Amino acid sequence: MGFTSLAFLVFFPIVWLVYLMLPGRFRTVWLLAASYVFLGTFGTKYLAVLIGSTLVTWVAGLILEKYGITNGVKKAEAESKAMPEAGKSSASEQKKSSLATGVFVAVVGFHVAVLCFFKYNRSNIALPIGISFYTFQAIGYLTDVYRGTVRAEHNLLNFALFQAFFPKLVQGPIERSGNLLRQIQNIGTLPVRDPERIRRSALLLLWGLCEKLLIADRIAIPVNAVYSQFGAFGGVEIILATALYAFQIYCDFAGYTDMGRGIAGLLGFDLLVNFKRPYQADSVQDFWRRWHLSLSSFLRDYVYIPLGGSRRGRFRRAVNILITFGVSGIWHGTGFHFLLWGLLHGIGQIFDIKNWKVPRAVKRVLIFLFVDATWMVFRVNSLGDLKGMLRVILTNFRLQDFAGMQLGSFEWVLLVFGILAVIAKDVLNEKGFAFQSWILERNAVLRCLIYTALLGAVLIFGVYGAAYDTSGFLYTQF
């Protein structure tokens, strides 16, 4: 039951209307039940994996808080109450701290092992929906509790909802306890009936639908045609399909994120922003400050910085960057091309162009070309296919079968118009023009006309298969 399915169009209004009528203390139970139903529609086995992961993480968090007495918050509290002789750590405290470290390492190792099993097993066991996202979220939570920067959540229902919250379950963002969990703890005070929030969230949801059904799914047609049968096309079509894929994956992933944020907003929650106009970046580092922010910040805080970050010299910094981006590549998929994609971005950040003395516009073009070239590595099915496509580009750079890209003239017009709309929106936002706020500030009649136009465009020009069979979101497979 994806966000664009007919089932969800029935499911969410029911969840939302009941949620609005419930008193605060019952909202957590209702949302948790709805989240489990949502995931259960993909398969009950996926639900069992999530519940198991949730219980293990919750119990481990309680143990870490109880025995990790020398860390962060608990250490500060202990020091504030200490007697003069308390400066010396007792053997008992050291033993407890060692126990906490052992539990932390064991449970994080367990999560990594489970994730690797499902991602890299050679059998026909399918990858559980959302496991990459809620596993990283669990690891981040455990790390924060172990460090003492946050308290462990003692309410199992609150923590279960933190892990299972359906607007972010399938494709993130990878939430932090300081954001989502804190809101769940205060669910009774969330502004669920605020008219301004409802309008803003509904507009975000509608824009996400446009990104997915009008743009991403239409771009997917020529991209899939070329990448599945690249030998039948010339180098021009491969380059064109690769350029288009940059906008497909952006609109697909950003579309899901915007829809998720819109749905969460209607429920009174504010999810992390996952994208900030990534193709406006003027360096590789800047790109990763704009693309998939929740993953980028996770890798920075829980991989790069613990490795030493940039504090141990240039060589060690370069090694740490490569390890971090290697983890990013492996997280995305099992093929060696994903690892290569991650390492290429690591190399790009080590030898970044941010200090080049060229106009910023030139830097943006160069970074887009770099990112787009690496998207080819990301999109192929294997390194063998990558080699074959590069051979076609180098030896047969011509327009060979444009009609084989499976779009008619009018479809190409819609595709180009959609891409231009996304570019214009990002450029305007980059210059400080808040497109969403501008719409919300218009009078009711003009707002209704804009909403009707967007919804009409989705209904009339959206890409649908037989019996409303919409394409799944790309990042679901990761």
Side-chain angles (χ1 to χ4, degrees), residues 15 17-18 50 103 125 155 173 175 206 210 232 268 283 287 314 344 348 368 375 385 389 398 418 420 438 448 470:
V15 170
L17 292 174
V18 173
L50 172 61
V103 170
I125 301 176
N155 187 310
E175 280 288 341
L206 184 54
C210 291
S283 69
F287 174 79
R314 291 185 178 180
L344 287 173
F368 177 79
W375 280 138
D385 283 1
M389 295 181 77
R398 62 190 180 91
L420 291 177
W438 181 86
C448 287
T470 57

Side-chain angles (χ1 to χ4, degrees), residues 2 8 34 37 100 105 143 147 156 171 196 225 232 234 236 240 298 340 356 361 368 372 416 439 457:
F8 190 81
V37 169
V105 172
T143 304
R147 291 173 174 172
L156 177 58
Q171 289 186 201
E196 179 64 24
V236 173
L240 176 59
F298 177 94
L340 176 59
W356 288 14
F368 177 79
D372 193 36
V416 171
I439 294 177

Side-chain angles (χ1 to χ4, degrees), residues 84-258:
E85 66 272 13
K88 298 181 180 180
S89 177
S90 69
S92 175
E93 288 177 332
Q94 292 176 357
K95 184 177 180 180
K96 289 179 179 180
S97 181
S98 297
L99 175 61
T101 300
V103 170
F104 172 73
V105 172
V107 177
V108 170
F110 166 79
H111 280 303
V112 173
V114 170
L115 181 60
C116 290
F117 168 77
F118 283 110
K119 271 185 173 288
Y120 301 104
N121 74 86
R122 299 297 180 181
S123 61
N124 293 321
I125 301 176
L127 181 69
I129 299 295
I131 188 172
S132 296
F133 293 91
Y134 63 72
T135 295
F136 267 27
Q137 186 167 295
I139 292 173
Y141 165 79
L142 290 172
T143 304
D144 290 341
V145 173
Y146 175 70
R147 291 173 174 172
T149 56
V150 300
R151 285 285 193 179
E153 175 53 59
H154 288 241
N155 187 310
L156 177 58
L157 291 179
N158 284 350
F159 185 75
L161 181 57
F162 170 65
Q163 285 292 88
F165 190 49
F166 71 88
K168 62 86 190 171
L169 178 61
V170 176
Q171 289 186 201
I174 302 169
E175 280 288 341
R176 303 292 185 92
S177 55
N179 182 50
L180 179 58
L181 188 53
R182 184 177 298 161
Q183 294 177 72
I184 292 173
Q185 292 166 344
N186 298 287
I187 195 170
T189 63
L190 297 182
V192 295
R193 298 183 180 89
D194 177 27
E196 179 64 24
R197 169 179 283 273
I198 292 173
R199 286 196 295 268
R200 185 173 67 251
S201 300
L203 179 59
L204 195 59
L205 173 58
L206 184 54
W207 174 248
L209 277 171
C210 291
E211 289 176 295
K212 171 62 174 172
L213 297 178
L214 287 176
I215 306 172
D217 285 358
R218 178 162 282 107
I219 296 175
I221 296 172
V223 170
N224 292 342
V226 172
Y227 272 79
S228 62
Q229 298 288 336
F230 63 86
F233 295 91
V236 173
E237 290 100 320
I238 292 176
I239 293 294
L240 176 59
T242 301
L244 291 174
Y245 182 69
F247 293 97
Q248 180 197 353
I249 193 170
Y250 176 34
C251 292
D252 189 284
F253 197 11
Y256 174 92
T257 301
D258 287 343

Side-chain angles (χ1 to χ4, degrees), residues 72-82 151:
V73 173
K74 300 199 75 176
K75 180 178 180 181
E77 291 180 354
E79 290 175 348
S80 67
K81 301 175 182 178
R151 285 285 193 179

